[in-house]
Amino acid sequence: MNEESLKLSEKLVPSNYIHQGIQAKQARENTIRQLIQHRKLPECGWDDVTVEMFLQDVAVMDSNNFNGNCGVGEREARIYSSLVYKRHFGLGHGIGRSGDITAVQPKAAGSSLLMKLTNSLALDAIKIAGIKSVEGCFVVPMATGMSLSLCMLTLRQKRRSAKYVIWPRIDQKSCFKSIITAGFEPVVIENCLDGDELKTNMSAIKEKIALFGADNILCVMTTTSCFAPRIPDSLEEIGLLCKEYDIPHLVNNAYGLQASKCTHLLQQAARVGRVDLFVQSLDKNFMVPVGGSIIAGFDAGLVEEVGKNYPGRASATPSIDLFITLVSMGTTGYKNLLSERKELCKYLTERLQSCAVLHGERLLQTKHNPISIGMTLSNLDDSIPPTEVGSMLFTRFVSGTRVVAPGKNNTIGGHMFKNFGSHSDVYPFSYLTAAAAIGMTRNDVDLFITRLDKVLTKCKTDRTDRMKTQKIGESESSLEKSKSREVESEAINNSRTGKDV
């Protein structure tokens, strides 16, 4: 209600009550004003009433929600289902225009405002996470793999003759397929085994640059967050190498934003060397539904070029989800989540270590991986393949674990990966991994360890029962052989004395 309406309301309700209501409403409006003014996460998270109030105010600024609007175009944000309309708060125009995903739409001032604010909040969140010198970013309604493809297609505009992408191996299909989808040839770099850890093979990268020539290489695509026993790539060394040879450096930071070690690596690589663009998933880092990512970089102009290279308009759903989440978290809530995740990683390591010792296993020593933890599976019954442990955990409602055993090969885009899943042709162990990701709780860890203990105990029991059965069988066989020898001996003795057997 405007000021005039509130004045009229005093004829129906005592003015002191009206003024109290006005003050409460103004407090929420001030909260919204501060967000628009500063374009940063609020210190404390908003309640749902404030979030919905803002979204409703934004929605009425879009033409499809104008009273008396007459839309005669082919795309007028017409929404048939009332449920769909409510799900999207009436925001049906999406984001961007045909020439730029970050452009403002004349028919959708509200959606455009929401998009701009969300991108600003995402930039602030990246800085809070530890990448202080990031210059630009935008939310794109594609998951990490397709976003990496978009980045590569943008880089190609400046490197027309380039056809190769140098890629230190990580056994995750989407990042590899992103190279193929973008029309480039992956140059796979096998990792080096150092103790239990798999780390970047810098000498192999240098050899490939010399072999193919820097001008023929589109970029080096590195990885921060990954499954143990692989550790984050040597971003600083690669950044320096890319700077020396003038080769773009693209970083797959899928769920690395939540880990200070990964954000520190990115910050340092950009400071001493070169990082052009880095991509992170929305669902893995901010606990929203799958379907979006953030493309960011240390050159706002390059980030803008990527946005302009996106063909057509885009869904606003990931932006809406992220906006609601970030203003609900606030700076305090987000920092607490990052801190809790780090502490929970220590707790998961301790509990998994105890479980491993109990069952004759050990943790893989991968201290440079800040999220994923691995445990050997070398003491199972011979009749139980290690991958069966993963299946047994899944049927007990444990999701997210990965069980890898040597010997599985996989062909992707014509390239054959030996021991797929282990990030290496020669990794010697079967193992299980679990990740301490943002949003995980101590209760999740405790339930996981309880159920893992039961699964491993069952595997061990099966092995013990099998060994007992084998020993009983051997004992019975030995007894039968002994009796047979006695009968033969007696028959020989009787024949010597002339007795009839």
Side-chain angles (χ1 to χ4, degrees), residues 171-233:
D171 287 356
Q172 201 275 339
K173 294 179 183 178
S174 64
C175 50
F176 183 77
K177 290 168 72 175
S178 72
I179 301 170
I180 298 169
T181 300
F184 298 100
E185 186 174 330
V187 178
V188 181
I189 305 296
E190 274 294 313
N191 298 301
C192 295
L193 183 59
D194 183 8
D196 287 340
E197 291 183 333
L198 289 165
K199 64 180 186 179
T200 311
N201 188 337
M202 289 300 302
S203 60
I205 293 177
K206 292 175 183 178
E207 289 172 6
K208 295 301 182 183
I209 292 174
L211 176 64
F212 295 111
D215 291 341
N216 296 316
I217 297 169
L218 178 83
C219 67
V220 178
M221 187 200 292
T222 56
T223 304
T224 55
S225 53
C226 50
F227 305 120
R230 197 189 190 281
I231 63 173
D233 280 317

Short mmCIF file of all heavy atoms in Angstrom, two decimals, residues 171-233:
data_model
loop_
_atom_site.label_atom_id
_atom_site.label_comp_id
_atom_site.label_asym_id
_atom_site.label_seq_id
_atom_site.Cartn_x
_atom_site.Cartn_y
_atom_site.Cartn_z
N ASP A 171 38.89 -39.01 -13.87
CA ASP A 171 37.91 -39.96 -14.37
C ASP A 171 36.49 -39.53 -13.99
O ASP A 171 35.83 -40.10 -13.11
CB ASP A 171 38.22 -41.36 -13.87
CG ASP A 171 39.43 -41.95 -14.57
OD1 ASP A 171 39.95 -41.30 -15.49
OD2 ASP A 171 39.86 -43.06 -14.21
N GLN A 172 36.05 -38.49 -14.68
CA GLN A 172 34.69 -37.97 -14.55
C GLN A 172 34.27 -37.60 -15.96
O GLN A 172 34.92 -36.80 -16.63
CB GLN A 172 34.70 -36.77 -13.61
CG GLN A 172 33.38 -36.42 -12.97
CD GLN A 172 32.52 -35.54 -13.87
OE1 GLN A 172 33.02 -34.87 -14.77
NE2 GLN A 172 31.22 -35.55 -13.64
N LYS A 173 33.20 -38.20 -16.43
CA LYS A 173 32.89 -38.17 -17.86
C LYS A 173 32.57 -36.78 -18.41
O LYS A 173 32.96 -36.44 -19.52
CB LYS A 173 31.72 -39.11 -18.16
CG LYS A 173 32.04 -40.58 -17.93
CD LYS A 173 30.81 -41.44 -18.23
CE LYS A 173 31.10 -42.91 -17.95
NZ LYS A 173 29.90 -43.75 -18.18
N SER A 174 31.84 -35.96 -17.66
CA SER A 174 31.31 -34.73 -18.25
C SER A 174 32.41 -33.76 -18.64
O SER A 174 32.30 -33.08 -19.68
CB SER A 174 30.32 -34.06 -17.28
OG SER A 174 30.96 -33.66 -16.10
N CYS A 175 33.48 -33.65 -17.84
CA CYS A 175 34.53 -32.70 -18.20
C CYS A 175 35.28 -33.16 -19.45
O CYS A 175 35.67 -32.33 -20.29
CB CYS A 175 35.49 -32.47 -17.03
SG CYS A 175 36.13 -33.95 -16.26
N PHE A 176 35.46 -34.47 -19.60
CA PHE A 176 36.11 -34.99 -20.81
C PHE A 176 35.21 -34.78 -22.03
O PHE A 176 35.66 -34.33 -23.09
CB PHE A 176 36.44 -36.47 -20.64
CG PHE A 176 37.17 -37.08 -21.80
CD1 PHE A 176 38.52 -36.84 -22.00
CD2 PHE A 176 36.50 -37.88 -22.72
CE1 PHE A 176 39.20 -37.39 -23.08
CE2 PHE A 176 37.17 -38.43 -23.80
CZ PHE A 176 38.52 -38.18 -23.98
N LYS A 177 33.92 -35.06 -21.85
CA LYS A 177 32.98 -34.91 -22.96
C LYS A 177 32.77 -33.45 -23.34
O LYS A 177 32.41 -33.13 -24.48
CB LYS A 177 31.64 -35.56 -22.59
CG LYS A 177 31.71 -37.08 -22.54
CD LYS A 177 30.48 -37.69 -21.91
CE LYS A 177 29.28 -37.59 -22.80
NZ LYS A 177 28.11 -38.30 -22.21
N SER A 178 33.00 -32.54 -22.40
CA SER A 178 32.87 -31.11 -22.73
C SER A 178 33.86 -30.70 -23.81
O SER A 178 33.57 -29.84 -24.64
CB SER A 178 33.06 -30.25 -21.47
OG SER A 178 34.41 -30.24 -21.04
N ILE A 179 35.04 -31.32 -23.79
CA ILE A 179 36.07 -31.03 -24.80
C ILE A 179 35.61 -31.53 -26.16
O ILE A 179 35.70 -30.83 -27.17
CB ILE A 179 37.41 -31.68 -24.41
CG1 ILE A 179 37.88 -31.16 -23.04
CG2 ILE A 179 38.47 -31.42 -25.47
CD1 ILE A 179 39.08 -31.92 -22.48
N ILE A 180 35.11 -32.76 -26.19
CA ILE A 180 34.66 -33.36 -27.44
C ILE A 180 33.45 -32.61 -27.99
O ILE A 180 33.36 -32.32 -29.19
CB ILE A 180 34.32 -34.84 -27.21
CG1 ILE A 180 35.56 -35.61 -26.77
CG2 ILE A 180 33.72 -35.47 -28.46
CD1 ILE A 180 35.29 -37.00 -26.28
N THR A 181 32.51 -32.26 -27.12
CA THR A 181 31.31 -31.54 -27.54
C THR A 181 31.65 -30.19 -28.16
O THR A 181 31.00 -29.74 -29.12
CB THR A 181 30.36 -31.34 -26.34
OG1 THR A 181 29.99 -32.61 -25.82
CG2 THR A 181 29.10 -30.58 -26.74
N ALA A 182 32.68 -29.55 -27.63
CA ALA A 182 33.11 -28.25 -28.16
C ALA A 182 33.88 -28.39 -29.48
O ALA A 182 34.21 -27.39 -30.11
CB ALA A 182 33.96 -27.52 -27.13
N GLY A 183 34.19 -29.64 -29.87
CA GLY A 183 34.84 -29.88 -31.16
C GLY A 183 36.36 -29.91 -31.10
O GLY A 183 37.01 -29.75 -32.14
N PHE A 184 36.92 -30.15 -29.93
CA PHE A 184 38.37 -30.17 -29.79
C PHE A 184 38.88 -31.58 -29.48
O PHE A 184 38.11 -32.47 -29.11
CB PHE A 184 38.82 -29.19 -28.71
CG PHE A 184 38.47 -27.77 -29.02
CD1 PHE A 184 37.35 -27.17 -28.45
CD2 PHE A 184 39.23 -27.05 -29.92
CE1 PHE A 184 37.01 -25.87 -28.76
CE2 PHE A 184 38.90 -25.74 -30.24
CZ PHE A 184 37.78 -25.15 -29.66
N GLU A 185 40.17 -31.75 -29.64
CA GLU A 185 40.79 -33.05 -29.41
C GLU A 185 41.48 -33.05 -28.05
O GLU A 185 42.41 -32.28 -27.82
CB GLU A 185 41.81 -33.34 -30.51
CG GLU A 185 42.40 -34.73 -30.44
CD GLU A 185 43.30 -35.05 -31.63
OE1 GLU A 185 43.06 -34.50 -32.72
OE2 GLU A 185 44.26 -35.82 -31.44
N PRO A 186 41.04 -33.93 -27.14
CA PRO A 186 41.66 -33.98 -25.82
C PRO A 186 43.05 -34.60 -25.88
O PRO A 186 43.27 -35.61 -26.56
CB PRO A 186 40.71 -34.87 -25.00
CG PRO A 186 39.50 -35.08 -25.85
CD PRO A 186 39.93 -34.89 -27.26
N VAL A 187 43.98 -34.00 -25.18
CA VAL A 187 45.32 -34.56 -25.00
C VAL A 187 45.40 -34.98 -23.53
O VAL A 187 45.57 -34.14 -22.64
CB VAL A 187 46.42 -33.54 -25.34
CG1 VAL A 187 47.80 -34.16 -25.11
CG2 VAL A 187 46.27 -33.06 -26.78
N VAL A 188 45.25 -36.27 -23.30
CA VAL A 188 45.14 -36.78 -21.93
C VAL A 188 46.52 -36.90 -21.30
O VAL A 188 47.42 -37.53 -21.86
CB VAL A 188 44.41 -38.14 -21.90
CG1 VAL A 188 44.26 -38.64 -20.46
CG2 VAL A 188 43.04 -38.02 -22.57
N ILE A 189 46.67 -36.31 -20.13
CA ILE A 189 47.92 -36.38 -19.38
C ILE A 189 47.74 -37.34 -18.21
O ILE A 189 46.92 -37.09 -17.32
CB ILE A 189 48.34 -34.99 -18.84
CG1 ILE A 189 48.43 -33.97 -19.98
CG2 ILE A 189 49.65 -35.08 -18.07
CD1 ILE A 189 49.48 -34.25 -21.01
N GLU A 190 48.48 -38.44 -18.23
CA GLU A 190 48.40 -39.39 -17.12
C GLU A 190 48.99 -38.78 -15.86
O GLU A 190 50.00 -38.07 -15.91
CB GLU A 190 49.16 -40.68 -17.46
CG GLU A 190 48.34 -41.69 -18.23
CD GLU A 190 47.18 -42.25 -17.43
OE1 GLU A 190 47.39 -42.63 -16.25
OE2 GLU A 190 46.07 -42.31 -17.97
N ASN A 191 48.36 -39.04 -14.73
CA ASN A 191 48.83 -38.50 -13.45
C ASN A 191 50.02 -39.28 -12.92
O ASN A 191 50.26 -40.43 -13.30
CB ASN A 191 47.69 -38.54 -12.43
CG ASN A 191 46.52 -37.68 -12.85
OD1 ASN A 191 46.65 -36.49 -13.06
ND2 ASN A 191 45.35 -38.30 -12.99
N CYS A 192 50.76 -38.65 -12.03
CA CYS A 192 51.91 -39.30 -11.37
C CYS A 192 51.46 -39.88 -10.03
O CYS A 192 50.75 -39.22 -9.27
CB CYS A 192 53.03 -38.29 -11.12
SG CYS A 192 53.78 -37.63 -12.60
N LEU A 193 51.88 -41.09 -9.73
CA LEU A 193 51.58 -41.72 -8.45
C LEU A 193 52.69 -41.37 -7.46
O LEU A 193 53.85 -41.70 -7.66
CB LEU A 193 51.48 -43.24 -8.62
CG LEU A 193 51.11 -44.05 -7.37
CD1 LEU A 193 49.76 -43.61 -6.82
CD2 LEU A 193 51.09 -45.54 -7.71
N ASP A 194 52.31 -40.69 -6.39
CA ASP A 194 53.24 -40.28 -5.34
C ASP A 194 52.69 -40.76 -4.01
O ASP A 194 51.82 -40.12 -3.42
CB ASP A 194 53.39 -38.75 -5.35
CG ASP A 194 54.41 -38.27 -4.32
OD1 ASP A 194 55.09 -39.12 -3.73
OD2 ASP A 194 54.51 -37.05 -4.13
N GLY A 195 53.20 -41.89 -3.52
CA GLY A 195 52.57 -42.52 -2.36
C GLY A 195 51.20 -43.03 -2.76
O GLY A 195 51.08 -43.78 -3.73
N ASP A 196 50.18 -42.60 -2.05
CA ASP A 196 48.81 -42.95 -2.43
C ASP A 196 48.20 -41.91 -3.37
O ASP A 196 47.19 -42.18 -4.02
CB ASP A 196 47.92 -43.05 -1.18
CG ASP A 196 48.21 -44.30 -0.36
OD1 ASP A 196 48.79 -45.24 -0.91
OD2 ASP A 196 47.85 -44.30 0.84
N GLU A 197 48.80 -40.72 -3.44
CA GLU A 197 48.20 -39.61 -4.18
C GLU A 197 48.53 -39.67 -5.67
O GLU A 197 49.61 -40.11 -6.07
CB GLU A 197 48.70 -38.27 -3.62
CG GLU A 197 48.17 -37.96 -2.24
CD GLU A 197 48.62 -36.60 -1.74
OE1 GLU A 197 49.70 -36.13 -2.17
OE2 GLU A 197 47.91 -35.99 -0.92
N LEU A 198 47.58 -39.18 -6.46
CA LEU A 198 47.80 -38.99 -7.89
C LEU A 198 47.87 -37.49 -8.14
O LEU A 198 46.91 -36.75 -7.88
CB LEU A 198 46.65 -39.60 -8.69
CG LEU A 198 46.61 -41.13 -8.70
CD1 LEU A 198 45.25 -41.62 -9.20
CD2 LEU A 198 47.73 -41.70 -9.55
N LYS A 199 49.01 -37.01 -8.65
CA LYS A 199 49.20 -35.58 -8.83
C LYS A 199 49.56 -35.26 -10.28
O LYS A 199 49.84 -36.15 -11.09
CB LYS A 199 50.28 -35.07 -7.88
CG LYS A 199 51.67 -35.65 -8.12
CD LYS A 199 52.66 -35.08 -7.11
CE LYS A 199 54.08 -35.54 -7.42
NZ LYS A 199 55.06 -34.99 -6.46
N THR A 200 49.60 -33.97 -10.59
CA THR A 200 49.82 -33.49 -11.95
C THR A 200 51.20 -33.87 -12.47
O THR A 200 52.21 -33.70 -11.78
CB THR A 200 49.68 -31.96 -12.01
OG1 THR A 200 48.48 -31.57 -11.36
CG2 THR A 200 49.65 -31.49 -13.46
N ASN A 201 51.24 -34.37 -13.70
CA ASN A 201 52.50 -34.71 -14.37
C ASN A 201 52.95 -33.49 -15.19
O ASN A 201 52.62 -33.35 -16.36
CB ASN A 201 52.29 -35.93 -15.27
CG ASN A 201 53.59 -36.46 -15.84
OD1 ASN A 201 54.58 -35.74 -15.93
ND2 ASN A 201 53.58 -37.72 -16.23
N MET A 202 53.70 -32.61 -14.55
CA MET A 202 54.10 -31.36 -15.19
C MET A 202 55.01 -31.59 -16.39
O MET A 202 54.91 -30.91 -17.42
CB MET A 202 54.80 -30.45 -14.18
CG MET A 202 53.87 -29.85 -13.13
SD MET A 202 52.54 -28.84 -13.84
CE MET A 202 53.46 -27.61 -14.76
N SER A 203 55.92 -32.55 -16.28
CA SER A 203 56.85 -32.80 -17.39
C SER A 203 56.10 -33.27 -18.64
O SER A 203 56.45 -32.90 -19.76
CB SER A 203 57.90 -33.84 -16.99
OG SER A 203 57.29 -35.07 -16.63
N ALA A 204 55.04 -34.05 -18.45
CA ALA A 204 54.25 -34.52 -19.59
C ALA A 204 53.52 -33.36 -20.26
O ALA A 204 53.39 -33.31 -21.49
CB ALA A 204 53.26 -35.59 -19.15
N ILE A 205 53.03 -32.41 -19.47
CA ILE A 205 52.36 -31.23 -20.03
C ILE A 205 53.34 -30.43 -20.88
O ILE A 205 53.01 -30.00 -22.00
CB ILE A 205 51.76 -30.36 -18.91
CG1 ILE A 205 50.61 -31.10 -18.21
CG2 ILE A 205 51.25 -29.02 -19.47
CD1 ILE A 205 50.02 -30.35 -17.03
N LYS A 206 54.54 -30.23 -20.37
CA LYS A 206 55.54 -29.48 -21.12
C LYS A 206 55.89 -30.19 -22.42
O LYS A 206 56.07 -29.55 -23.47
CB LYS A 206 56.80 -29.30 -20.27
CG LYS A 206 56.59 -28.39 -19.06
CD LYS A 206 57.84 -28.35 -18.18
CE LYS A 206 57.61 -27.51 -16.93
NZ LYS A 206 58.80 -27.52 -16.04
N GLU A 207 55.99 -31.51 -22.37
CA GLU A 207 56.30 -32.28 -23.57
C GLU A 207 55.21 -32.12 -24.63
O GLU A 207 55.51 -31.98 -25.83
CB GLU A 207 56.46 -33.76 -23.21
CG GLU A 207 57.74 -34.07 -22.43
CD GLU A 207 57.76 -35.51 -21.93
OE1 GLU A 207 56.85 -36.28 -22.31
OE2 GLU A 207 58.68 -35.86 -21.17
N LYS A 208 53.95 -32.12 -24.20
CA LYS A 208 52.85 -31.98 -25.16
C LYS A 208 52.80 -30.57 -25.76
O LYS A 208 52.47 -30.42 -26.94
CB LYS A 208 51.51 -32.30 -24.47
CG LYS A 208 51.38 -33.74 -24.01
CD LYS A 208 51.51 -34.73 -25.17
CE LYS A 208 51.33 -36.17 -24.71
NZ LYS A 208 51.52 -37.14 -25.82
N ILE A 209 53.13 -29.57 -24.97
CA ILE A 209 53.19 -28.20 -25.52
C ILE A 209 54.26 -28.12 -26.59
O ILE A 209 54.05 -27.53 -27.66
CB ILE A 209 53.45 -27.18 -24.40
CG1 ILE A 209 52.23 -27.10 -23.45
CG2 ILE A 209 53.74 -25.79 -24.98
CD1 ILE A 209 52.45 -26.21 -22.24
N ALA A 210 55.42 -28.73 -26.31
CA ALA A 210 56.51 -28.73 -27.29
C ALA A 210 56.13 -29.54 -28.54
O ALA A 210 56.47 -29.16 -29.66
CB ALA A 210 57.77 -29.31 -26.65
N LEU A 211 55.40 -30.63 -28.34
CA LEU A 211 55.03 -31.51 -29.45
C LEU A 211 54.03 -30.84 -30.39
O LEU A 211 54.19 -30.86 -31.61
CB LEU A 211 54.45 -32.82 -28.91
CG LEU A 211 53.93 -33.82 -29.94
CD1 LEU A 211 55.07 -34.32 -30.83
CD2 LEU A 211 53.24 -34.99 -29.24
N PHE A 212 52.95 -30.25 -29.83
CA PHE A 212 51.88 -29.71 -30.65
C PHE A 212 52.07 -28.23 -31.00
O PHE A 212 51.48 -27.76 -31.97
CB PHE A 212 50.53 -29.90 -29.96
CG PHE A 212 50.13 -31.34 -29.79
CD1 PHE A 212 50.10 -31.94 -28.54
CD2 PHE A 212 49.79 -32.11 -30.89
CE1 PHE A 212 49.73 -33.26 -28.39
CE2 PHE A 212 49.43 -33.43 -30.76
CZ PHE A 212 49.40 -34.02 -29.50
N GLY A 213 52.85 -27.52 -30.21
CA GLY A 213 53.04 -26.08 -30.43
C GLY A 213 51.98 -25.28 -29.70
O GLY A 213 50.79 -25.62 -29.76
N ALA A 214 52.40 -24.21 -29.04
CA ALA A 214 51.48 -23.43 -28.21
C ALA A 214 50.31 -22.87 -29.00
O ALA A 214 49.17 -22.83 -28.50
CB ALA A 214 52.25 -22.29 -27.54
N ASP A 215 50.54 -22.45 -30.26
CA ASP A 215 49.47 -21.85 -31.05
C ASP A 215 48.37 -22.84 -31.41
O ASP A 215 47.24 -22.44 -31.72
CB ASP A 215 50.04 -21.25 -32.35
CG ASP A 215 50.91 -20.03 -32.08
OD1 ASP A 215 50.77 -19.44 -30.99
OD2 ASP A 215 51.72 -19.68 -32.96
N ASN A 216 48.69 -24.12 -31.38
CA ASN A 216 47.71 -25.15 -31.72
C ASN A 216 46.95 -25.69 -30.51
O ASN A 216 46.11 -26.58 -30.66
CB ASN A 216 48.41 -26.32 -32.43
CG ASN A 216 49.01 -25.90 -33.76
OD1 ASN A 216 48.36 -25.19 -34.54
ND2 ASN A 216 50.24 -26.30 -34.03
N ILE A 217 47.25 -25.15 -29.35
CA ILE A 217 46.60 -25.59 -28.11
C ILE A 217 45.58 -24.54 -27.69
O ILE A 217 45.93 -23.38 -27.47
CB ILE A 217 47.63 -25.83 -26.99
CG1 ILE A 217 48.58 -26.96 -27.41
CG2 ILE A 217 46.93 -26.17 -25.68
CD1 ILE A 217 49.78 -27.10 -26.51
N LEU A 218 44.31 -24.93 -27.61
CA LEU A 218 43.27 -23.99 -27.22
C LEU A 218 43.44 -23.55 -25.77
O LEU A 218 43.36 -22.37 -25.45
CB LEU A 218 41.89 -24.62 -27.39
CG LEU A 218 40.74 -23.70 -26.95
CD1 LEU A 218 40.39 -22.73 -28.06
CD2 LEU A 218 39.53 -24.49 -26.50
N CYS A 219 43.67 -24.53 -24.90
CA CYS A 219 43.82 -24.22 -23.48
C CYS A 219 44.34 -25.46 -22.74
O CYS A 219 44.37 -26.56 -23.29
CB CYS A 219 42.50 -23.77 -22.86
SG CYS A 219 41.23 -25.07 -22.78
N VAL A 220 44.75 -25.23 -21.52
CA VAL A 220 44.99 -26.32 -20.57
C VAL A 220 43.80 -26.31 -19.62
O VAL A 220 43.49 -25.27 -19.03
CB VAL A 220 46.30 -26.12 -19.79
CG1 VAL A 220 46.49 -27.26 -18.78
CG2 VAL A 220 47.49 -26.03 -20.73
N MET A 221 43.10 -27.45 -19.52
CA MET A 221 41.96 -27.53 -18.61
C MET A 221 42.37 -28.30 -17.37
O MET A 221 42.67 -29.49 -17.44
CB MET A 221 40.75 -28.21 -19.25
CG MET A 221 39.51 -28.15 -18.34
SD MET A 221 38.25 -29.37 -18.72
CE MET A 221 37.69 -28.79 -20.29
N THR A 222 42.39 -27.62 -16.24
CA THR A 222 42.80 -28.25 -14.99
C THR A 222 41.58 -28.48 -14.09
O THR A 222 40.48 -28.01 -14.37
CB THR A 222 43.83 -27.37 -14.25
OG1 THR A 222 43.25 -26.07 -14.05
CG2 THR A 222 45.11 -27.26 -15.04
N THR A 223 41.83 -29.18 -12.99
CA THR A 223 40.75 -29.54 -12.06
C THR A 223 41.19 -29.25 -10.63
O THR A 223 42.33 -29.52 -10.26
CB THR A 223 40.42 -31.05 -12.19
OG1 THR A 223 40.07 -31.35 -13.54
CG2 THR A 223 39.27 -31.44 -11.28
N THR A 224 40.26 -28.71 -9.86
CA THR A 224 40.53 -28.51 -8.42
C THR A 224 39.88 -29.64 -7.62
O THR A 224 40.55 -30.52 -7.10
CB THR A 224 39.99 -27.15 -7.95
OG1 THR A 224 38.60 -27.05 -8.27
CG2 THR A 224 40.75 -26.02 -8.59
N SER A 225 38.57 -29.63 -7.53
CA SER A 225 37.85 -30.64 -6.73
C SER A 225 37.79 -31.96 -7.48
O SER A 225 37.51 -32.00 -8.68
CB SER A 225 36.43 -30.15 -6.43
OG SER A 225 35.77 -29.77 -7.63
N CYS A 226 38.07 -33.05 -6.78
CA CYS A 226 38.11 -34.36 -7.43
C CYS A 226 38.01 -35.46 -6.39
O CYS A 226 38.20 -35.25 -5.20
CB CYS A 226 39.41 -34.51 -8.23
SG CYS A 226 40.89 -34.10 -7.30
N PHE A 227 37.73 -36.68 -6.87
CA PHE A 227 37.66 -37.84 -6.00
C PHE A 227 39.07 -38.31 -5.63
O PHE A 227 39.95 -38.36 -6.48
CB PHE A 227 36.93 -39.00 -6.69
CG PHE A 227 35.55 -38.65 -7.20
CD1 PHE A 227 35.25 -38.75 -8.55
CD2 PHE A 227 34.57 -38.22 -6.34
CE1 PHE A 227 33.99 -38.43 -9.03
CE2 PHE A 227 33.30 -37.90 -6.81
CZ PHE A 227 33.01 -38.01 -8.16
N ALA A 228 39.25 -38.64 -4.36
CA ALA A 228 40.50 -39.28 -3.96
C ALA A 228 40.65 -40.58 -4.75
O ALA A 228 39.66 -41.20 -5.13
CB ALA A 228 40.48 -39.55 -2.47
N PRO A 229 41.90 -40.99 -5.02
CA PRO A 229 43.18 -40.52 -4.51
C PRO A 229 43.79 -39.37 -5.33
O PRO A 229 44.90 -38.95 -5.05
CB PRO A 229 44.05 -41.76 -4.60
CG PRO A 229 43.53 -42.49 -5.80
CD PRO A 229 42.05 -42.26 -5.79
N ARG A 230 43.06 -38.90 -6.35
CA ARG A 230 43.57 -37.75 -7.10
C ARG A 230 43.51 -36.52 -6.21
O ARG A 230 42.62 -36.39 -5.36
CB ARG A 230 42.74 -37.52 -8.36
CG ARG A 230 43.42 -36.64 -9.41
CD ARG A 230 42.42 -36.31 -10.51
NE ARG A 230 43.01 -35.67 -11.66
CZ ARG A 230 43.33 -34.39 -11.74
NH1 ARG A 230 43.16 -33.60 -10.70
NH2 ARG A 230 43.83 -33.89 -12.86
N ILE A 231 44.44 -35.62 -6.41
CA ILE A 231 44.45 -34.36 -5.67
C ILE A 231 44.32 -33.21 -6.67
O ILE A 231 44.48 -33.42 -7.88
CB ILE A 231 45.74 -34.22 -4.83
CG1 ILE A 231 46.99 -34.18 -5.73
CG2 ILE A 231 45.85 -35.35 -3.81
CD1 ILE A 231 48.29 -33.88 -4.98
N PRO A 232 44.00 -32.00 -6.21
CA PRO A 232 43.89 -30.87 -7.14
C PRO A 232 45.15 -30.69 -7.97
O PRO A 232 46.27 -30.96 -7.51
CB PRO A 232 43.68 -29.68 -6.21
CG PRO A 232 43.05 -30.25 -4.98
CD PRO A 232 43.66 -31.61 -4.82
N ASP A 233 44.96 -30.26 -9.20
CA ASP A 233 46.11 -30.04 -10.08
C ASP A 233 47.03 -28.96 -9.53
O ASP A 233 46.63 -28.13 -8.71
CB ASP A 233 45.63 -29.64 -11.48
CG ASP A 233 45.19 -30.84 -12.29
OD1 ASP A 233 45.89 -31.88 -12.26
OD2 ASP A 233 44.14 -30.76 -12.96
#
